[in-house]
């Protein structure tokens, strides 16, 4: 008997499980220019804890409309000439209507003096869950701000 057979079987099972976890759905939505509200908390001016609240409509590939809303909290302010970005944490909900939502969480990087993300600089955040047809889904959302003021979101769901 080959003593490596049980190990080979285990490795094969792990590889099949990993491949299956990667199968899923990928689609994009186009977000309208958002309505933004900057909230200055704590120390006056840019500081830890400041928030950005936003809401915007979006359109799915099949023409359906939804609403995206979120809060983005500053967690790191630039502290020198070479540090030119704010680090922020984002909590975002994509509402597709009815009970269908996706919940997004993750890091955002904003240039000093910018109220929005840098144009054509994609940022990736985690899809941490959903409701309705998205129940149990996870994955990632890649967000890119475009020069015209709208955003494109590539949604990659895994099973």
């Amino acid at each position: 008997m080959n003593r490596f057979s049980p190990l080979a079987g285990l490795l094969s099972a792990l590889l099949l499980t990993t491949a299956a976890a990667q199968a899923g759905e990928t689609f994009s939505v186009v977000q309208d220019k958002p309505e933004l509200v900057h909230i200055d908390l704590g120390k006056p001016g840019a500081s830890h804890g400041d928030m950005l609240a936003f809401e915007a409509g979006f359109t799915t590939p099949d023409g359906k409309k939804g609403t995206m809303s979120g809060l983005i909290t500053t967690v790191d302010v630039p502290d020198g000439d070479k540090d030119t970005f704010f680090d922020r944490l984002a909590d975002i909900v994509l509402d597709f209507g009815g009970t269908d939502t996706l919940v997004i969480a993750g890091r955002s990087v904003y240039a000093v003096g910018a109220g929005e993300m840098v144009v054509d600089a994609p940022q990736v955040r985690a899809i941490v869950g959903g409701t309705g047809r998205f129940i149990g889904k996870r994955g990632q959302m890649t967000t890119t701000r475009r020069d015209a003021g709208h955003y494109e979101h590539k949604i990659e769901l895994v099973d």
Side-chain angles (χ1 to χ4, degrees):
M1 176 176 159
N2 184 344
R3 67 181 181 170
F4 293 109
S5 293
L7 180 59
L10 178 61
L11 287 173
S12 293
L14 286 173
L15 288 173
L16 288 174
T17 301
T18 302
Q22 296 304 310
E25 179 182 2
T26 299
F27 62 96
S28 295
V29 298
V30 176
Q31 174 196 322
D32 302 333
K33 189 172 180 172
E35 180 179 329
L36 304 172
V37 176
H38 294 273
I39 306 162
D40 189 11
L41 299 171
K43 297 178 186 176
S47 64
H48 295 277
D50 287 352
M51 297 182 83
L52 168 65
F54 74 91
E55 183 177 70
F58 67 83
T59 306
T60 64
D62 60 1
K64 293 181 181 169
K65 301 289 184 180
T67 303
M68 181 180 295
S69 54
L71 291 172
I72 301 174
T73 305
T74 300
V75 294
D76 182 47
V77 294
D79 57 2
D81 293 340
K82 296 189 190 259
D83 188 6
T84 58
F85 292 97
F86 287 94
D87 289 329
R88 295 178 169 164
L89 297 181
D91 294 305
I92 302 167
V93 174
L94 279 76
D95 184 346
F96 292 84
T99 61
D100 300 337
T101 65
L102 284 172
V103 179
I104 315 300
R107 181 173 173 253
S108 300
V109 178
Y110 286 64
V112 170
E116 293 185 69
M117 292 171 38
V118 175
V119 170
D120 295 327
Q123 298 196 37
V124 180
R125 299 181 193 108
I127 297 172
V128 296
T131 60
R133 77 177 187 97
F134 298 112
I135 189 169
K137 293 295 185 179
R138 58 191 169 81
Q140 67 182 24
M141 182 174 81
T142 304
T143 300
T144 306
R145 179 174 174 236
R146 298 301 184 195
D147 210 14
H150 69 281
Y151 289 76
E152 295 173 4
H153 304 277
K154 179 181 178 186
I155 297 165
E156 299 171 86
L157 300 172
V158 295
D159 294 330

